Amino acid sequence: MRGLVTVFGGSGFIGSQTVRALAKQGWRIRVAVRRPWQAYRQRLLGDVGQIEIVQANVRVPETVERALIGAEAVVYAVGAAFESGKQLFTVVHAEGPKFAAEAAARLGIERFVFVSGIGADAHSPSKAGRAKAEGEAAVRASIPGAVILRPSMVFGPEDNFFNKIAQMAVLVPVMPVLGAETRVQPVFVADVARAASAALADPAASGRTFELGGPSIYSMREITEITLAEIGRPRALLPLPSGPAALLGMGGDVLAFLRGPLPMLPAPPITTDQLALLQVDNVVADGASGLAELGVTAAALEPIIPTYLYRYRKGGQYADLAPPAALQA
């Protein structure tokens, strides 16, 4: 069995799949999370004793360093789709990776993978994009050989992407489309996880940045059409102009704010910062290193999304998307 790797955010959407991928590669894994009692299922992703759960809060440097004692490698996969309570973008995407990288450097840990995003840019219109760029710079300042992974929109059973579109389609007769012509390159969550595992194992990945995207590029209008077709709910599309979209985003900001003291509230459908991300394309740059350089073959979304979007069809998994031929006659 390989050495010990600490995964921050190991109970999250990307983090849990990363734990699974690392377990398959024979690592011992320490899953560092704010609420250990919510991460008990992570132990089931490996062999008996292979995975342990520890408490660590990326806002508290002492807990971060404690989670790294004895580790040989680090994966930082903490993320936030929106700001709520103390979970601010600057904390999660900038200060958290900075604390982790500084602690790793003090402990002599050289292998470090930071899961950032294609939207990471110091001049991004999005606060999250700017915070991720700050986090990348901080990680590289402490550990020059750190590997940075920048996925595009990540999809999978628990995603905040196709699921959100499908949920809205169930509720409304006309489907609003935000950033209709903005292009995205959806990447399967398991491919991102395999990339993180490969980056730790491959010395040639040291100090490099990889942009991770799937095999195809789509506009947000096309993504919406694919989702509606998959769940069998045809809807007229209504591309929202900036004014109504801004109002929707502000409503989402209020809901996100209220979730701080009232976590039982639903997640906002869209926030102002997410709208800012939709102002620019989210695709792999020409000439950028990506999944292929890490030995990962990108999975197409079309065979995968039916495995979890079926629940939004009328009749769920037993629904027929098209009537039998006898009924069409």
Side-chain angles (χ1 to χ4, degrees):
M1 188 171 286
R2 294 184 177 182
L4 176 66
V5 54
T6 297
V7 181
F8 291 98
S11 63
F13 176 46
I14 295 175
S16 61
Q17 291 294 322
T18 300
V19 170
R20 183 191 300 272
L22 291 167
K24 288 181 178 180
Q25 294 300 314
W27 288 90
R28 290 189 300 114
I29 304 155
R30 179 180 292 156
V31 178
V33 291
R34 277 191 303 152
R35 301 184 178 100
W37 58 90
Q38 295 181 349
Y40 67 94
R41 293 181 180 176
Q42 302 310 100
R43 291 194 178 93
L44 304 178
L45 300 179
D47 294 333
V48 176
Q50 187 178 9
I51 300 170
E52 65 171 322
I53 315 296
V54 300
Q55 196 282 332
N57 189 329
V58 298
R59 301 193 305 269
V60 184
E62 309 87 75
T63 68
V64 172
E65 183 158 356
R66 185 172 64 236
L68 291 174
I69 294 173
E72 298 179 12
V74 185
V75 176
Y76 187 95
V78 183
F82 52 86
E83 294 186 313
S84 183
K86 296 180 180 179
Q87 293 299 99
L88 304 177
F89 292 136
T90 53
V91 171
V92 173
H93 298 309
E95 293 177 7
K98 178 177 182 289
F99 292 155
E102 288 175 345
R106 286 193 296 272
L107 294 170
I109 303 170
E110 298 180 352
R111 285 186 284 182
F112 194 109
V113 172
F114 175 35
V115 182
S116 178
I118 283 181
D121 188 327
H123 304 290
S124 171
S126 157
K127 290 169 62 178
R130 296 193 297 272
K132 288 179 181 179
E134 185 179 343
E136 291 182 3
V139 167
R140 282 276 170 77
S142 292
I143 303 180
V147 178
I148 292 172
L149 302 181
R150 291 178 173 175
S152 181
M153 299 290 190
V154 183
F155 72 92
E158 298 174 356
D159 69 39
N160 202 29
F161 187 36
F162 285 100
N163 279 304
K164 183 176 288 188
I165 297 172
Q167 288 166 1
M168 185 172 292
V170 171
L171 299 174
V172 299
V174 177
M175 191 69 190
V177 184
L178 302 167
E181 304 311 317
T182 299
R183 300 183 307 150
V184 295
Q185 194 170 347
V187 58
F188 185 35
V189 63
D191 290 343
V192 177
R194 283 190 281 267
S197 178
L200 284 184
D202 185 2
S206 177
R208 297 172 63 185
T209 297
F210 298 86
E211 297 197 352
L212 312 181
S216 301
I217 295 173
Y218 309 84
S219 69
M220 285 302 296
R221 182 194 301 272
E222 291 170 329
I223 288 292
T224 305
E225 291 171 342
I226 290 170
T227 306
L228 294 176
E230 182 54 48
I231 65 175
R233 294 180 183 270
R235 298 285 187 270
L237 300 187
L238 178 64
L240 285 187
S242 57
L247 289 174
L248 188 60
M250 286 188 286
D253 292 344
V254 172
L255 183 55
F257 176 78
L258 293 175
R259 272 177 59 95
L262 300 170
M264 73 291 296
L265 291 175
I270 194 75
T271 64
T272 300
D273 201 72
Q274 290 168 346
L275 285 173
L277 276 175
L278 288 175
Q279 293 178 15
V280 293
D281 291 342
N282 198 284
V283 300
V284 173
D286 291 339
S289 297
L291 289 171
E293 284 75 14
L294 290 167
V296 179
T297 301
L301 64 86
E302 287 82 0
I304 296 172
I305 59 173
T307 64
Y308 62 97
L309 290 186
Y310 67 84
R311 53 193 165 186
Y312 301 103
R313 301 173 190 158
K314 294 178 181 178
Q317 62 181 316
Y318 303 106
D320 289 323
L321 292 184
L327 297 180
Q328 296 179 14

Short mmCIF file of all heavy atoms in Angstrom, two decimals, residues 102-153:
data_model
loop_
_atom_site.label_atom_id
_atom_site.label_comp_id
_atom_site.label_asym_id
_atom_site.label_seq_id
_atom_site.Cartn_x
_atom_site.Cartn_y
_atom_site.Cartn_z
N GLU A 102 1.12 26.12 3.16
CA GLU A 102 2.13 26.57 4.11
C GLU A 102 2.42 25.49 5.14
O GLU A 102 3.59 25.23 5.48
CB GLU A 102 1.67 27.86 4.80
CG GLU A 102 1.68 29.08 3.90
CD GLU A 102 1.10 30.31 4.58
OE1 GLU A 102 0.43 30.16 5.62
OE2 GLU A 102 1.29 31.42 4.05
N ALA A 103 1.36 24.84 5.65
CA ALA A 103 1.56 23.77 6.62
C ALA A 103 2.29 22.59 5.98
O ALA A 103 3.19 21.98 6.59
CB ALA A 103 0.21 23.33 7.18
N ALA A 104 1.92 22.25 4.76
CA ALA A 104 2.59 21.15 4.06
C ALA A 104 4.07 21.45 3.88
O ALA A 104 4.92 20.57 4.07
CB ALA A 104 1.92 20.90 2.71
N ALA A 105 4.39 22.68 3.52
CA ALA A 105 5.80 23.06 3.32
C ALA A 105 6.57 22.93 4.63
O ALA A 105 7.72 22.45 4.65
CB ALA A 105 5.88 24.48 2.78
N ARG A 106 5.97 23.36 5.74
CA ARG A 106 6.64 23.25 7.04
C ARG A 106 6.91 21.79 7.41
O ARG A 106 7.91 21.48 8.06
CB ARG A 106 5.80 23.91 8.13
CG ARG A 106 5.83 25.42 8.11
CD ARG A 106 5.25 26.00 9.39
NE ARG A 106 3.83 25.67 9.58
CZ ARG A 106 2.83 26.39 9.11
NH1 ARG A 106 3.08 27.50 8.43
NH2 ARG A 106 1.58 26.03 9.35
N LEU A 107 6.00 20.91 7.00
CA LEU A 107 6.14 19.49 7.34
C LEU A 107 6.93 18.70 6.29
O LEU A 107 7.06 17.48 6.40
CB LEU A 107 4.74 18.87 7.49
CG LEU A 107 3.92 19.41 8.67
CD1 LEU A 107 2.48 18.92 8.59
CD2 LEU A 107 4.55 18.97 9.99
N GLY A 108 7.42 19.39 5.28
CA GLY A 108 8.23 18.73 4.27
C GLY A 108 7.45 17.93 3.24
O GLY A 108 8.01 17.05 2.57
N ILE A 109 6.17 18.22 3.09
CA ILE A 109 5.33 17.53 2.11
C ILE A 109 5.44 18.26 0.78
O ILE A 109 5.12 19.44 0.69
CB ILE A 109 3.86 17.47 2.57
CG1 ILE A 109 3.75 16.79 3.94
CG2 ILE A 109 3.00 16.77 1.54
CD1 ILE A 109 2.37 16.91 4.57
N GLU A 110 5.88 17.56 -0.25
CA GLU A 110 6.12 18.20 -1.55
C GLU A 110 5.03 17.92 -2.57
O GLU A 110 4.88 18.66 -3.54
CB GLU A 110 7.48 17.77 -2.10
CG GLU A 110 8.65 18.18 -1.21
CD GLU A 110 9.97 17.73 -1.78
OE1 GLU A 110 9.97 16.96 -2.78
OE2 GLU A 110 11.02 18.12 -1.22
N ARG A 111 4.30 16.83 -2.40
CA ARG A 111 3.26 16.48 -3.37
C ARG A 111 1.94 17.11 -2.96
O ARG A 111 1.40 16.78 -1.89
CB ARG A 111 3.14 14.96 -3.51
CG ARG A 111 4.28 14.36 -4.31
CD ARG A 111 4.06 12.88 -4.57
NE ARG A 111 4.34 12.08 -3.39
CZ ARG A 111 4.26 10.75 -3.37
NH1 ARG A 111 3.88 10.09 -4.45
NH2 ARG A 111 4.54 10.09 -2.27
N PHE A 112 1.43 18.00 -3.79
CA PHE A 112 0.25 18.79 -3.44
C PHE A 112 -0.57 19.01 -4.70
O PHE A 112 -0.04 19.45 -5.73
CB PHE A 112 0.68 20.14 -2.85
CG PHE A 112 -0.41 20.92 -2.15
CD1 PHE A 112 -0.40 21.06 -0.77
CD2 PHE A 112 -1.41 21.53 -2.87
CE1 PHE A 112 -1.39 21.79 -0.13
CE2 PHE A 112 -2.41 22.27 -2.23
CZ PHE A 112 -2.40 22.40 -0.86
N VAL A 113 -1.85 18.70 -4.65
CA VAL A 113 -2.76 18.94 -5.77
C VAL A 113 -3.86 19.89 -5.31
O VAL A 113 -4.52 19.64 -4.29
CB VAL A 113 -3.39 17.63 -6.29
CG1 VAL A 113 -4.48 17.94 -7.32
CG2 VAL A 113 -2.32 16.74 -6.90
N PHE A 114 -4.04 20.98 -6.04
CA PHE A 114 -5.09 21.95 -5.74
C PHE A 114 -6.12 21.92 -6.85
O PHE A 114 -5.81 22.18 -8.00
CB PHE A 114 -4.48 23.35 -5.61
CG PHE A 114 -5.48 24.46 -5.42
CD1 PHE A 114 -6.63 24.26 -4.68
CD2 PHE A 114 -5.25 25.71 -5.96
CE1 PHE A 114 -7.55 25.28 -4.49
CE2 PHE A 114 -6.17 26.75 -5.79
CZ PHE A 114 -7.32 26.54 -5.05
N VAL A 115 -7.37 21.57 -6.49
CA VAL A 115 -8.46 21.56 -7.47
C VAL A 115 -9.06 22.96 -7.53
O VAL A 115 -9.77 23.39 -6.61
CB VAL A 115 -9.54 20.53 -7.10
CG1 VAL A 115 -10.63 20.52 -8.17
CG2 VAL A 115 -8.92 19.14 -6.96
N SER A 116 -8.75 23.67 -8.58
CA SER A 116 -9.19 25.05 -8.77
C SER A 116 -10.32 25.06 -9.81
O SER A 116 -11.29 24.33 -9.67
CB SER A 116 -7.99 25.91 -9.20
OG SER A 116 -8.35 27.25 -9.45
N GLY A 117 -10.20 25.86 -10.84
CA GLY A 117 -11.23 25.90 -11.88
C GLY A 117 -10.76 26.72 -13.06
O GLY A 117 -9.92 27.61 -12.93
N ILE A 118 -11.31 26.43 -14.24
CA ILE A 118 -10.92 27.17 -15.45
C ILE A 118 -11.19 28.66 -15.30
O ILE A 118 -10.48 29.49 -15.85
CB ILE A 118 -11.63 26.58 -16.69
CG1 ILE A 118 -10.96 25.27 -17.10
CG2 ILE A 118 -11.61 27.55 -17.87
CD1 ILE A 118 -11.55 24.59 -18.31
N GLY A 119 -12.19 29.02 -14.51
CA GLY A 119 -12.50 30.44 -14.32
C GLY A 119 -11.55 31.18 -13.40
O GLY A 119 -11.74 32.37 -13.15
N ALA A 120 -10.50 30.51 -12.91
CA ALA A 120 -9.56 31.17 -12.00
C ALA A 120 -8.76 32.23 -12.75
O ALA A 120 -8.01 31.92 -13.67
CB ALA A 120 -8.62 30.14 -11.39
N ASP A 121 -8.93 33.47 -12.34
CA ASP A 121 -8.27 34.59 -13.03
C ASP A 121 -8.31 35.79 -12.10
O ASP A 121 -9.37 36.13 -11.56
CB ASP A 121 -8.99 34.90 -14.34
CG ASP A 121 -8.25 35.91 -15.20
OD1 ASP A 121 -7.59 36.81 -14.64
OD2 ASP A 121 -8.34 35.81 -16.43
N ALA A 122 -7.17 36.43 -11.93
CA ALA A 122 -7.11 37.60 -11.05
C ALA A 122 -8.02 38.73 -11.53
O ALA A 122 -8.39 39.62 -10.75
CB ALA A 122 -5.67 38.10 -10.95
N HIS A 123 -8.38 38.71 -12.81
CA HIS A 123 -9.25 39.75 -13.37
C HIS A 123 -10.64 39.23 -13.70
O HIS A 123 -11.38 39.87 -14.45
CB HIS A 123 -8.60 40.33 -14.62
CG HIS A 123 -7.22 40.87 -14.40
ND1 HIS A 123 -6.97 42.02 -13.67
CD2 HIS A 123 -6.00 40.40 -14.77
CE1 HIS A 123 -5.67 42.24 -13.62
NE2 HIS A 123 -5.05 41.27 -14.28
N SER A 124 -11.00 38.09 -13.14
CA SER A 124 -12.31 37.50 -13.41
C SER A 124 -13.43 38.42 -12.92
O SER A 124 -13.30 39.08 -11.88
CB SER A 124 -12.43 36.14 -12.71
OG SER A 124 -13.75 35.64 -12.78
N PRO A 125 -14.56 38.46 -13.63
CA PRO A 125 -15.72 39.21 -13.12
C PRO A 125 -16.35 38.54 -11.90
O PRO A 125 -17.17 39.13 -11.22
CB PRO A 125 -16.68 39.21 -14.31
CG PRO A 125 -16.32 37.99 -15.11
CD PRO A 125 -14.84 37.85 -14.95
N SER A 126 -15.94 37.30 -11.63
CA SER A 126 -16.49 36.53 -10.52
C SER A 126 -15.57 36.58 -9.30
O SER A 126 -14.35 36.42 -9.42
CB SER A 126 -16.68 35.07 -10.96
OG SER A 126 -16.70 34.19 -9.87
N LYS A 127 -16.16 36.76 -8.12
CA LYS A 127 -15.38 36.72 -6.88
C LYS A 127 -14.75 35.36 -6.69
O LYS A 127 -13.60 35.25 -6.23
CB LYS A 127 -16.28 37.06 -5.70
CG LYS A 127 -16.74 38.49 -5.63
CD LYS A 127 -17.84 38.68 -4.59
CE LYS A 127 -17.39 38.35 -3.20
NZ LYS A 127 -18.48 38.59 -2.20
N ALA A 128 -15.48 34.30 -7.03
CA ALA A 128 -14.95 32.95 -6.89
C ALA A 128 -13.74 32.76 -7.80
O ALA A 128 -12.73 32.17 -7.40
CB ALA A 128 -16.03 31.91 -7.21
N GLY A 129 -13.83 33.26 -9.03
CA GLY A 129 -12.71 33.13 -9.97
C GLY A 129 -11.48 33.87 -9.47
O GLY A 129 -10.35 33.36 -9.57
N ARG A 130 -11.67 35.05 -8.92
CA ARG A 130 -10.53 35.82 -8.40
C ARG A 130 -9.93 35.14 -7.17
O ARG A 130 -8.70 35.10 -7.00
CB ARG A 130 -10.97 37.25 -8.06
CG ARG A 130 -11.42 38.06 -9.26
CD ARG A 130 -11.56 39.54 -8.93
NE ARG A 130 -12.56 39.82 -7.93
CZ ARG A 130 -13.85 40.03 -8.18
NH1 ARG A 130 -14.30 39.93 -9.42
NH2 ARG A 130 -14.70 40.30 -7.20
N ALA A 131 -10.79 34.58 -6.31
CA ALA A 131 -10.30 33.90 -5.11
C ALA A 131 -9.50 32.65 -5.47
O ALA A 131 -8.47 32.34 -4.86
CB ALA A 131 -11.46 33.54 -4.19
N LYS A 132 -9.96 31.91 -6.48
CA LYS A 132 -9.23 30.71 -6.91
C LYS A 132 -7.86 31.09 -7.47
O LYS A 132 -6.87 30.38 -7.23
CB LYS A 132 -10.03 29.94 -7.95
CG LYS A 132 -11.25 29.23 -7.37
CD LYS A 132 -12.03 28.49 -8.43
CE LYS A 132 -13.25 27.80 -7.83
NZ LYS A 132 -14.06 27.09 -8.85
N ALA A 133 -7.79 32.18 -8.21
CA ALA A 133 -6.49 32.64 -8.73
C ALA A 133 -5.56 32.99 -7.58
O ALA A 133 -4.35 32.69 -7.61
CB ALA A 133 -6.70 33.84 -9.65
N GLU A 134 -6.11 33.62 -6.56
CA GLU A 134 -5.30 33.96 -5.38
C GLU A 134 -4.82 32.69 -4.68
O GLU A 134 -3.66 32.61 -4.23
CB GLU A 134 -6.13 34.82 -4.42
CG GLU A 134 -5.36 35.33 -3.22
CD GLU A 134 -6.21 36.19 -2.30
OE1 GLU A 134 -7.29 36.66 -2.74
OE2 GLU A 134 -5.81 36.39 -1.14
N GLY A 135 -5.69 31.71 -4.59
CA GLY A 135 -5.31 30.44 -3.98
C GLY A 135 -4.22 29.74 -4.75
O GLY A 135 -3.28 29.18 -4.17
N GLU A 136 -4.33 29.73 -6.08
CA GLU A 136 -3.29 29.11 -6.91
C GLU A 136 -1.94 29.76 -6.66
O GLU A 136 -0.91 29.05 -6.51
CB GLU A 136 -3.65 29.25 -8.39
CG GLU A 136 -4.83 28.41 -8.82
CD GLU A 136 -5.12 28.54 -10.31
OE1 GLU A 136 -4.36 29.26 -11.01
OE2 GLU A 136 -6.10 27.94 -10.77
N ALA A 137 -1.91 31.09 -6.63
CA ALA A 137 -0.64 31.81 -6.42
C ALA A 137 -0.06 31.48 -5.04
O ALA A 137 1.16 31.29 -4.90
CB ALA A 137 -0.87 33.30 -6.56
N ALA A 138 -0.91 31.40 -4.03
CA ALA A 138 -0.44 31.11 -2.67
C ALA A 138 0.12 29.70 -2.57
O ALA A 138 1.15 29.47 -1.92
CB ALA A 138 -1.58 31.30 -1.68
N VAL A 139 -0.54 28.75 -3.21
CA VAL A 139 -0.07 27.36 -3.17
C VAL A 139 1.29 27.25 -3.85
O VAL A 139 2.23 26.64 -3.30
CB VAL A 139 -1.09 26.43 -3.85
CG1 VAL A 139 -0.49 25.05 -4.12
CG2 VAL A 139 -2.34 26.30 -2.98
N ARG A 140 1.42 27.86 -5.02
CA ARG A 140 2.70 27.78 -5.74
C ARG A 140 3.82 28.53 -5.00
O ARG A 140 4.99 28.15 -5.11
CB ARG A 140 2.53 28.36 -7.14
CG ARG A 140 1.83 27.40 -8.11
CD ARG A 140 2.85 26.42 -8.71
NE ARG A 140 2.20 25.35 -9.45
CZ ARG A 140 1.68 25.49 -10.67
NH1 ARG A 140 1.69 26.67 -11.28
NH2 ARG A 140 1.14 24.45 -11.27
N ALA A 141 3.47 29.58 -4.25
CA ALA A 141 4.48 30.31 -3.49
C ALA A 141 5.10 29.42 -2.40
O ALA A 141 6.30 29.51 -2.13
CB ALA A 141 3.87 31.55 -2.86
N SER A 142 4.28 28.58 -1.79
CA SER A 142 4.78 27.69 -0.73
C SER A 142 5.34 26.38 -1.28
O SER A 142 6.33 25.85 -0.77
CB SER A 142 3.67 27.39 0.27
OG SER A 142 3.30 28.53 1.00
N ILE A 143 4.69 25.85 -2.34
CA ILE A 143 5.12 24.57 -2.92
C ILE A 143 5.20 24.73 -4.43
O ILE A 143 4.20 24.54 -5.15
CB ILE A 143 4.13 23.44 -2.55
CG1 ILE A 143 4.00 23.34 -1.03
CG2 ILE A 143 4.59 22.10 -3.13
CD1 ILE A 143 3.05 22.26 -0.55
N PRO A 144 6.36 25.12 -4.95
CA PRO A 144 6.49 25.36 -6.39
C PRO A 144 6.12 24.15 -7.25
O PRO A 144 5.69 24.30 -8.39
CB PRO A 144 7.97 25.71 -6.55
CG PRO A 144 8.38 26.24 -5.21
CD PRO A 144 7.59 25.45 -4.22
N GLY A 145 6.27 22.94 -6.71
CA GLY A 145 5.97 21.74 -7.47
C GLY A 145 4.51 21.31 -7.39
O GLY A 145 4.16 20.24 -7.89
N ALA A 146 3.67 22.13 -6.78
CA ALA A 146 2.26 21.78 -6.65
C ALA A 146 1.61 21.66 -8.03
O ALA A 146 1.96 22.36 -8.97
CB ALA A 146 1.52 22.82 -5.82
N VAL A 147 0.65 20.75 -8.13
CA VAL A 147 -0.12 20.56 -9.36
C VAL A 147 -1.46 21.26 -9.21
O VAL A 147 -2.14 21.09 -8.19
CB VAL A 147 -0.34 19.06 -9.66
CG1 VAL A 147 -1.18 18.89 -10.93
CG2 VAL A 147 1.00 18.34 -9.79
N ILE A 148 -1.82 22.05 -10.20
CA ILE A 148 -3.11 22.74 -10.18
C ILE A 148 -4.01 22.15 -11.25
O ILE A 148 -3.61 22.05 -12.41
CB ILE A 148 -2.91 24.26 -10.39
CG1 ILE A 148 -2.19 24.85 -9.18
CG2 ILE A 148 -4.26 24.95 -10.61
CD1 ILE A 148 -1.77 26.29 -9.34
N LEU A 149 -5.20 21.74 -10.84
CA LEU A 149 -6.19 21.21 -11.77
C LEU A 149 -7.30 22.24 -11.93
O LEU A 149 -7.87 22.70 -10.93
CB LEU A 149 -6.78 19.90 -11.24
CG LEU A 149 -5.79 18.77 -10.96
CD1 LEU A 149 -6.56 17.54 -10.47
CD2 LEU A 149 -4.98 18.42 -12.20
N ARG A 150 -7.61 22.56 -13.17
CA ARG A 150 -8.67 23.53 -13.46
C ARG A 150 -9.77 22.87 -14.28
O ARG A 150 -9.73 22.89 -15.51
CB ARG A 150 -8.11 24.72 -14.24
CG ARG A 150 -7.16 25.63 -13.47
CD ARG A 150 -6.66 26.72 -14.39
NE ARG A 150 -5.89 27.73 -13.70
CZ ARG A 150 -5.26 28.73 -14.31
NH1 ARG A 150 -5.34 28.84 -15.63
NH2 ARG A 150 -4.57 29.61 -13.61
N PRO A 151 -10.75 22.28 -13.63
CA PRO A 151 -11.84 21.68 -14.39
C PRO A 151 -12.82 22.73 -14.91
O PRO A 151 -12.98 23.80 -14.31
CB PRO A 151 -12.52 20.76 -13.37
CG PRO A 151 -12.20 21.37 -12.05
CD PRO A 151 -10.86 22.02 -12.18
N SER A 152 -13.48 22.41 -16.02
CA SER A 152 -14.61 23.20 -16.48
C SER A 152 -15.81 22.81 -15.61
O SER A 152 -15.64 22.29 -14.50
CB SER A 152 -14.87 22.92 -17.96
OG SER A 152 -15.94 23.69 -18.45
N MET A 153 -17.02 23.02 -16.08
CA MET A 153 -18.20 22.61 -15.33
C MET A 153 -18.13 21.11 -15.09
O MET A 153 -17.96 20.33 -16.02
CB MET A 153 -19.46 22.94 -16.11
CG MET A 153 -19.65 24.41 -16.41
SD MET A 153 -20.04 25.35 -14.93
CE MET A 153 -20.51 26.93 -15.66
#
